[in-house]
Amino acid sequence: GAVVSQHPSRVICKSGTSVKIECRSLDFQATTMFWYRQFPKQSLMLMATSNEGSKATYEQGVEKDKFLINHASLTLSTLTVTSAHPEDSSFYICSAMGAGGQPQHFGDGTRLSIL
Amino acid sequence: DAKTTQPNSMESNEEEPVHLPCNHSTISGTDYIHWYRQLPSQGPEYVIHGLTSNVNNRMASLAIAEDRKSSTLILHRATLRDAAVYYCILRDTGGNTPLVFGKGTRLSVIA
């Protein structure tokens, strides 16, 4: 069964709207969570890494003020796309990992479409 | 992370074995070899991982070359549900570093 739950699975909204995506680890404590983005026919690109209780570390080229990440507990991380525009339309995927180098588990992704 | 090289695409007939190759000539001694797959419109799914010895689980087998510069993911009997993009990724042991995805191999399964 799924060990990482991501919600919502699909969002369609108008340009300028802010969208929040939730990622939960269901049966383990996720000390580290990762957020990826995937454009059509491309591979996953890492956006940011977050550790519980700390500020997220963003990859080069990812705007931290646009993609707000909160990892307030060991089972929940959220990604908020602020003032989304059509170019932010993409497939966003979260991933969670417990301590000690365990395998990463992935959510089923959120398809974001900005009109 | 050390780089891996995979064929862009492969094709298999249903119920036949599939061998998906991966080259990682710059692998370091502490890198694990991970395989994930991504079905259409889903997040990646863990398949298998190993360090030096061959590994088997309910999904697949992983054969690792003696010099560790290449590995092969083996699906013993391909089904239509195995059609996906398969990613071979190296990750340092014990770390909390994220998986870095390459382009992977798109596997098509023909009925």
Side-chain angles (χ1 to χ4, degrees), chain A:
Chain A
V3 295
V4 174
S5 173
Q6 187 172 343
H7 178 80
S9 58
R10 186 173 180 99
V11 180
I12 302 173
C13 58
K14 294 180 180 179
S15 184
T17 306
S18 291
V19 178
K20 180 185 281 189
I21 303 169
E22 288 189 353
C23 180
R24 295 180 184 273
S25 58
L26 298 181
D27 55 3
F28 68 100
Q29 293 187 326
T31 52
T32 308
M33 285 189 170
F34 308 100
W35 287 93
Y36 293 80
R37 180 168 54 181
Q38 185 175 33
F39 292 107
K41 298 194 185 301
Q42 294 187 23
S43 188
L44 283 77
M45 291 177 55
L46 180 68
M47 297 175 68
T49 300
S50 74
N51 292 298
E52 185 263 338
S54 303
K55 285 186 178 180
T57 303
Y58 290 81
E59 295 299 300
Q60 192 172 11
V62 179
E63 298 175 57
K64 63 179 182 179
D65 294 330
K66 181 165 188 64
F67 299 99
L68 302 179
I69 292 171
N70 184 284
H71 190 171
S73 77
L74 286 171
T75 58
L76 174 65
S77 175
T78 61
L79 168 69
T80 301
V81 183
T82 61
S83 187
H85 292 284
E87 58 265 29
D88 299 321
S89 298
S90 188
F91 192 48
Y92 291 85
I93 305 168
C94 75
S95 176
M97 186 167 67
Q102 297 174 23
Q104 272 181 241
H105 297 284
F106 290 82
D108 278 338
T110 298
R111 188 161 302 283
L112 177 62
S113 300
I114 308 298
L115 305 178

Side-chain angles (χ1 to χ4, degrees), chain A residues 1-4 6 36 38 43-44 91 93-96 103-109, chain B residues 6 20 33-49 57-60 73 75 79-89 91 99 101 104-105 107:
Chain A
V3 295
V4 174
Q6 187 172 343
Y36 293 80
Q38 185 175 33
S43 188
L44 283 77
F91 192 48
I93 305 168
C94 75
S95 176
Q104 272 181 241
H105 297 284
F106 290 82
D108 278 338
Chain B
Q6 299 176 253
L20 296 162
I33 302 159
H34 290 253
W35 282 83
Y36 281 75
R37 72 179 185 181
Q38 186 178 22
L39 279 64
S41 297
Q42 293 187 27
E45 174 187 27
Y46 168 79
V47 178
I48 201 167
H49 76 286
N57 67 21
R58 63 175 181 81
M59 289 182 71
L73 179 70
L75 306 179
T79 70
L80 295 177
R81 286 177 293 182
D82 291 322
V85 179
Y86 287 78
Y87 297 98
C88 168
I89 305 168
R91 184 167 153 234
L99 294 169
F101 288 79
T105 296
L107 175 66

